[in-house]
Amino acid sequence: MVNLLSQSLTQVNQAGASSLYQDFTIELEPNLLLDILTSYQLKASEVTGDYNFNPQAFEQFIKSPPYNSGSSTLKNTSYIISSWPEKLSWSQFNHQINNLLLAWLNDYKLGANLDTAFLLARCLELKTDKHGQFQNLLMHLIARVTNQLEQYKFSYVQNFDLDTGLPNQHLLASLLKQYLKTESVAENDSEEDHLGMEHLGLILINLNINFDEESQLNSAASNLMLAAIATIQQHLNNDATLFYVGSIDLAILIKPLKSTTQLSLMATKLIHAFETALPLENITLILKPYIGAISTFNIQTNAISIYEYARLALHHAIIKNEQVKIYDQHISSSFMNAHLLDEAIIEALQQNELAVFLQPIVSIHHKAGTNEICISAEVLLRWPNQEWQALSPSRLIDVIYKKGFGKVFIRWLINNACQRCAELISAHQKNIALTINLSSIDLLDADLPELLAQSIALWQIPAENLIIEITENDILVDEIKVAKVIDKIKQLGCKLALDDFGTGYSSMARLRNMPIDIVKIDQSFVRNIATSDQDKEIVQSVVKLAHSLGKEVVAEGVENQACLDILKELKCEKIQGYFYGKPMSFDDFIAWLSVFESTRQR
């Protein structure tokens, strides 16, 4: 099987890209034809003549529904049948049969129906054949070659991509297995044996194309891939073969590979090849692909591992934003560490080792007896682990959701937030609301409102003391589904806060149409408000807009007195930032709250 694949691959290299039927031919050998004749009680001397083409049967045939429907004309086959000689020598008969089968294949490739071919075969009569065995022979041969073509097509689609004509990942894996098995060197072989073996190189290419619903690239996807393939093929030598291995992924197998330098030069050449725009109609596009590469100079391994190592190199290039990465052992080590970290994070979630920290939100225009009062706090995720102290909360959450523990986590988060609310009310007599952040995945979960209702009832807290914080981008994932979930959350009595306001796509429309209670101005606009007139204008506009729609406003990222004074001037009523307090554990928050309230008493 592998030898056949290698032969097909050679044909692909010679042709540039294989079309579906390009390599399929049929030639019925005389001895095989004679054997088939014998099975139909026909002799070679009988099929040499006399033949008669029956015009009445043919006229009836062309008027029949299978033929006159217009979907199957059988022009090539009809010509061979209607022009069949009255007498033939044995060699001429063999040649005529092969012509008939080739004519039928051409018609079949164009969509002709097998049943119509059988009907057509009945228009040709062998006068000495009293039982119609010759016509049965023709139908047998037509069916046989059709089956052979279908088997070829099945084998083709297993090993080639129909859209691009390129060999696919299945064929690549088979060739890698063959090459690496042939060139494998035992551990106790001499260095000379290693030097004498033929090495190979594998390059994986991610075209770095981002298709989305509104992109022109969707309609041009096929042309874009073909243009990229053409660009790559212009830079390949006879020792390199291009493979299609994914929607935006290609692979190049180089064999023989003379040195690792050859691999690096090829990767660099490909990067330079994409520095000019691709030839596409109505779109000017320059791709910036990522490349991961490996060679058997780097590592001796099996077919599966060498492909996976190449993928590791490609993944490393993508996450590090490096266009080319050649595999080395350090990559495996770094990914092993990443795997261990992922496992540790999930274990921490399951063992209840994660913690919620609180960052105060202070009202600076409160109508009660004090100028400043802590009315709420944002719940933030932390992992108090000495080994991973610098790990960001976003990394924690990414791993949790990537590993499929999102629903477990959000249940844990909601339960913890409600428990802290209950403790603030019952143990400390503090009516302080807590804000929890939900992601787009959470908002698409129809069970979320029920989960919130259960926790609120379990801890017996006012629903309004639980504020659900979302971002505009979360809403955009699926506005209809998200809106249904949000409506149910609002029916519970929970408040809704819109985070990172001003950084989305159409914030004002969202603010008007969604049942938002609180608008949080992103810290990127707030942090430099004392030194940037432009940022000040933006914040002022947001405050006025929110107030005109009856929304409360929270300014994030407040770190100094100057910034606070301006926000007071702009009548922004709530402040969150390091000026008042960093995220802290629950016990530290209680201690901070006591000090804060004592210093704010009139």
Side-chain angles (χ1 to χ4, degrees):
M1 177 63 178
V2 175
N3 289 334
L4 291 175
L5 298 180
S6 299
Q7 187 177 6
S8 298
L9 188 58
T10 301
Q11 293 168 339
V12 169
N13 285 337
Q14 291 170 350
S18 176
S19 59
L20 180 53
Y21 301 106
Q22 172 177 297
D23 305 322
F24 182 79
T25 56
I26 181 67
E27 187 73 25
L28 195 59
E29 296 295 332
N31 289 339
L32 178 57
L33 179 57
L34 187 59
D35 289 341
I36 299 174
L37 276 174
T38 303
S39 69
Y40 281 90
Q41 289 82 48
L42 293 170
K43 299 177 181 178
S45 58
E46 292 178 318
V47 295
T48 56
D50 294 322
Y51 286 98
N52 175 53
F53 176 71
N54 189 330
Q56 291 81 17
F58 183 74
E59 185 176 348
Q60 183 179 0
F61 161 70
I62 62 176
K63 292 179 180 179
S64 63
Y67 185 87
N68 67 14
S69 63
S71 62
S72 176
T73 59
L74 283 174
K75 290 182 179 179
N76 297 293
T77 313
S78 296
Y79 174 76
I80 295 295
I81 292 287
S82 62
S83 61
W84 198 279
E86 284 190 38
K87 291 184 178 294
L88 296 163
S89 66
W90 168 250
S91 62
Q92 288 173 332
F93 175 77
N94 193 175
H95 181 70
Q96 188 72 4
I97 287 292
N98 281 320
N99 284 342
L100 170 65
L101 297 180
L102 288 172
W104 158 244
L105 285 180
N106 286 328
D107 289 334
Y108 184 67
K109 293 170 188 177
L110 296 173
N113 186 281
L114 187 60
D115 290 336
T116 59
F118 289 163
L119 291 173
L120 180 59
R122 297 202 173 273
C123 298
L124 183 63
E125 301 168 349
L126 177 61
K127 292 181 181 179
T128 59
D129 176 27
K130 303 301 183 182
H131 303 289
Q133 288 295 82
F134 173 72
Q135 293 172 342
N136 291 336
L137 169 70
L138 290 184
M139 289 188 284
H140 171 93
L141 294 176
I142 289 171
R144 179 179 180 274
V145 75
T146 305
N147 182 59
Q148 287 178 316
L149 180 60
E150 289 300 321
Q151 288 180 345
Y152 170 85
K153 286 167 62 178
F154 178 75
S155 176
Y156 184 96
V157 297
Q158 279 189 313
N159 296 297
F160 292 86
D161 174 64
L162 295 180
D163 293 327
T164 63
L166 291 177
N168 62 17
Q169 188 173 341
H170 181 268
L171 181 51
L172 174 61
S174 298
L175 291 168
L176 285 172
K177 185 177 181 180
Q178 178 197 21
Y179 294 157
L180 292 171
K181 182 178 181 181
T182 302
E183 300 293 346
S184 63
V185 180
E187 291 183 6
N188 58 354
D189 284 346
S190 67
E191 186 175 348
E192 292 181 358
D193 292 324
H194 285 265
L195 293 173
M197 68 180 288
E198 273 197 348
H199 287 277
L200 63 83
L202 180 62
I203 295 175
L204 297 185
I205 306 168
N206 178 278
L207 294 175
N208 192 22
I209 305 169
N210 182 23
F211 295 105
D212 57 64
E213 291 183 1
E214 300 181 8
S215 173
Q216 285 181 290
L217 297 180
N218 285 326
S219 59
S222 178
N223 291 335
L224 178 57
M225 176 57 77
L226 292 176
I229 288 170
T231 298
I232 293 172
Q233 286 177 325
Q234 291 173 10
H235 297 82
L236 298 185
N237 301 322
N238 292 333
D239 55 4
T241 305
L242 185 62
F243 294 79
Y244 177 88
V245 296
S247 59
I248 58 171
D249 293 317
L250 300 166
I252 299 172
L253 181 62
I254 305 172
K255 186 177 185 296
L257 185 73
K258 302 297 190 297
S259 68
T260 53
T261 303
Q262 182 186 351
L263 193 68
S264 300
L265 288 175
M266 172 63 76
T268 303
K269 187 191 299 184
L270 293 174
I271 293 299
H272 291 324
F274 283 97
E275 290 177 351
T276 56
L278 293 176
L280 294 169
E281 290 185 17
N282 304 321
I283 299 177
T284 301
L285 184 66
I286 296 179
L287 295 182
K288 184 185 176 184
Y290 293 104
I291 291 177
I294 189 172
S295 75
T296 51
F297 286 103
N298 300 108
I299 189 168
Q300 294 295 324
T301 185
N302 58 39
I304 296 175
S305 295
I306 200 167
Y307 186 83
E308 290 304 317
Y309 288 145
R311 289 214 67 84
L312 279 180
L314 176 60
H315 186 62
H316 182 93
I318 293 171
I319 63 174
K320 298 293 185 181
N321 198 26
E322 301 174 9
Q323 281 200 267
V324 178
K325 183 63 181 178
I326 308 296
Y327 175 83
D328 57 46
Q329 293 289 350
H330 170 72
I331 293 177
S332 289
S333 299
S334 64
F335 277 94
M336 179 59 71
N337 290 338
H339 173 73
L340 293 175
L341 173 59
D342 290 355
E343 295 300 315
I345 290 172
I346 298 304
E347 184 178 355
L349 173 64
Q350 294 174 324
Q351 298 298 324
N352 201 31
E353 294 173 2
L354 300 180
V356 293
F357 276 36
L358 305 181
Q359 184 174 29
I361 299 174
V362 175
S363 172
I364 56 176
H365 291 290
H366 201 269
K367 294 181 181 179
T370 59
N371 289 326
E372 297 178 347
I373 184 171
C374 179
I375 43 83
S376 62
E378 182 173 358
V379 176
L380 298 167
L381 181 65
R382 293 294 185 269
W383 184 21
N385 183 295
Q386 294 298 318
E387 186 178 356
W388 306 101
Q389 289 186 60
L391 199 66
S392 68
S394 61
R395 174 64 193 278
L396 289 171
I397 294 172
D398 286 345
V399 170
I400 288 169
Y401 280 86
K402 180 182 68 176
K403 295 291 186 178
F405 286 82
K407 202 156 187 175
V408 174
F409 167 71
I410 205 62
R411 181 181 294 275
W412 172 87
L413 181 64
I414 290 171
N415 186 67
N416 269 267
C418 291
Q419 180 183 359
R420 296 308 184 194
C421 268
E423 290 180 21
L424 284 166
I425 293 171
S426 60
H428 304 282
Q429 289 76 51
K430 304 295 181 185
N431 189 29
I432 293 178
L434 295 184
T435 298
I436 59 172
N437 294 274
L438 297 185
S439 70
S440 57
I441 297 175
D442 304 321
L443 294 173
L444 292 173
D445 184 359
D447 295 332
L448 177 65
E450 179 61 27
L451 178 59
L452 287 166
Q454 290 174 0
S455 289
I456 290 170
L458 174 66
W459 294 103
Q460 298 181 347
I461 63 169
E464 63 183 18
N465 279 31
L466 194 61
I467 302 172
I468 307 303
E469 188 169 305
I470 62 176
T471 69
E472 186 181 351
N473 291 344
D474 294 331
I475 301 171
L476 292 174
V477 173
D478 189 326
E479 292 193 58
I480 296 176
K481 286 185 178 180
V482 168
K484 290 180 180 179
V485 173
I486 286 176
D487 284 343
K488 291 181 180 179
I489 292 174
K490 288 290 292 181
Q491 290 172 16
L492 294 175
C494 297
K495 290 186 176 181
L496 202 66
L498 185 64
D499 195 18
D500 299 340
F501 186 81
T503 61
Y505 296 103
S506 51
S507 298
M508 292 187 181
R510 300 278 178 256
L511 192 58
R512 182 186 60 204
N513 298 329
M514 295 296 291
I516 304 296
D517 300 288
I518 301 166
V519 173
K520 301 188 76 173
I521 306 175
D522 187 68
Q523 59 182 314
S524 62
F525 300 118
V526 174
R527 187 178 291 112
N528 299 319
I529 194 174
T531 57
S532 170
D533 291 338
Q534 185 177 24
D535 286 352
K536 181 179 178 180
E537 289 292 334
I538 292 173
V539 172
Q540 184 175 25
S541 298
V542 171
V543 172
K544 287 183 177 180
L545 172 65
H547 286 168
S548 69
L549 295 173
K551 318 295 183 185
E552 298 177 1
V553 181
V554 177
E556 297 181 293
V558 179
E559 298 181 353
N560 54 62
Q561 185 69 49
C563 180
L564 177 63
D565 291 341
I566 292 173
L567 290 167
K568 286 181 178 179
E569 176 188 329
L570 298 179
K571 295 183 169 48
C572 175
E573 63 267 32
K574 295 178 181 178
I575 304 297
Q576 180 178 351
Y578 284 8
F579 180 78
Y580 285 113
K582 295 181 179 182
M584 58 193 83
S585 67
F586 184 77
D587 291 339
D588 288 343
F589 177 77
I590 295 298
W592 172 89
L593 191 59
S594 177
V595 173
F596 177 79
E597 290 180 343
S598 65
T599 59
R600 263 64 180 179
Q601 295 297 324
R602 287 178 176 267

